[in-house]
Amino acid sequence: DSGVTQTPKHLITATGQRVTLRCSPRSGDLSVYWYQQSLDQGLQFLIQYYNGEERAKGNILERFSAQQFPDLHSELNLSSLELGDSALYFCASSTGGARGFTGDTQYFGPGTRLTVL
Amino acid sequence: GEDVEQSLFLSVREGDSSVINCTYTDSSSTYLYWYKQEPGAGLQLLTYIFSNMDMKQDQRLTVLLNKKDKHLSLRIADTQTGDSAIYFCAEKDYKLSFGAGTTVTVRA
């Protein structure tokens, strides 16, 4: 158990809908990262938050957004869902993540499996 | 940009050693990681190596880093059936860039 929790574990929805995925980082970790794992794209970095602020963006679609709350949990919002958004979405957390700091290890949650029908 | 490459499949007999290879492109990566993913599960951190090291050993796991060739390998000694999984190599600047994963199948 990494200490990172994600809910829900599974989510099934229809095209055009909007969903919210939730992540609670390990106790004491300030950074939250979101990754998408799909069969065709592999594991892709989406976005990072550090202590409530967006720190880095990767291959995140404009239909997707995220935020990190004062209690450090994070939510990933996916809207106007398409079939191709079906994937496993992972959250990871780390202690640091300040700009320029690369020395901390990311621990992953169990993931949320999203199926868009 | 970053590009991490791994072979896709490895079949190994139980009790033998497994060697999973990885190449990366970002020479500024300070840490390189190995993660394990079992079916239906999340990513489990196995081990990592700092870029100024050549080797790191952790129980049955040995990581070798050839920085000149940007080549990373993971050796699993005495491979067990529980080692069957997908193994991901990743390089890190502020984010992790993963390879496609190597599916390791352990046969009796």
Side-chain angles (χ1 to χ4, degrees), chain A residues 11-114:
Chain A
L11 200 47
I12 301 174
T13 188
T15 55
Q17 296 297 305
R18 173 189 168 94
V19 297
T20 298
L21 313 183
R22 184 189 167 105
C23 167
S24 292
R26 294 185 320 154
S27 177
D29 283 0
L30 297 178
S31 270
V32 169
Y33 309 77
W34 286 97
Y35 292 84
Q36 179 195 59
Q37 184 180 33
S38 62
L39 283 174
D40 54 344
Q41 298 288 328
L43 267 161
Q44 300 264 325
F45 167 73
L46 295 178
I47 197 164
Q48 177 203 355
Y49 276 80
Y50 174 71
N51 203 21
E53 293 187 3
E54 182 185 303
R55 183 51 51 91
K57 255 184 176 177
N59 301 321
I60 187 165
L61 299 172
E62 283 191 14
R63 301 182 285 109
F64 296 179
S65 65
Q67 54 184 329
Q68 187 179 27
F69 294 87
D71 67 352
L72 300 177
H73 90 271
S74 177
E75 292 181 356
L76 179 67
N77 301 296
L78 315 176
S79 61
S80 303
L81 285 166
E82 301 175 1
L83 296 176
D85 297 328
S86 294
L88 196 50
Y89 290 85
F90 286 111
C91 165
S93 74
S94 69
T95 53
R99 200 179 301 281
F101 177 63
T102 62
D104 59 337
T105 297
Q106 295 179 25
Y107 293 90
F108 282 74
T112 293
R113 182 169 296 280
L114 173 67

Side-chain angles (χ1 to χ4, degrees), chain B residues 14-32:
Chain B
E14 189 175 10
D16 288 351
S17 291
S18 309
V19 179
I20 307 166
N21 294 300
C22 168
T23 58
Y24 62 97
T25 57
D26 189 352
S27 58
S28 66
S29 295
T30 51
Y31 286 88
L32 295 141

Side-chain angles (χ1 to χ4, degrees), chain B residues 54-102:
Chain B
D54 297 325
M55 185 183 89
K56 181 179 179 181
Q57 188 146 4
D58 184 0
Q59 300 182 337
R60 292 191 297 122
L61 305 178
T62 303
V63 180
L64 294 177
L65 175 60
N66 180 329
K67 203 174 174 188
K68 174 175 167 288
D69 294 338
K70 297 192 184 73
H71 182 265
L72 182 73
S73 68
L74 174 70
R75 178 176 178 269
I76 306 172
D78 186 26
T79 310
Q80 303 298 308
T81 54
D83 295 325
S84 292
I86 303 175
Y87 292 80
F88 291 93
C89 157
E91 62 178 349
K92 182 173 181 290
D93 41 29
Y94 61 93
K95 62 174 172 65
L96 289 166
S97 295
F98 289 90
T102 300

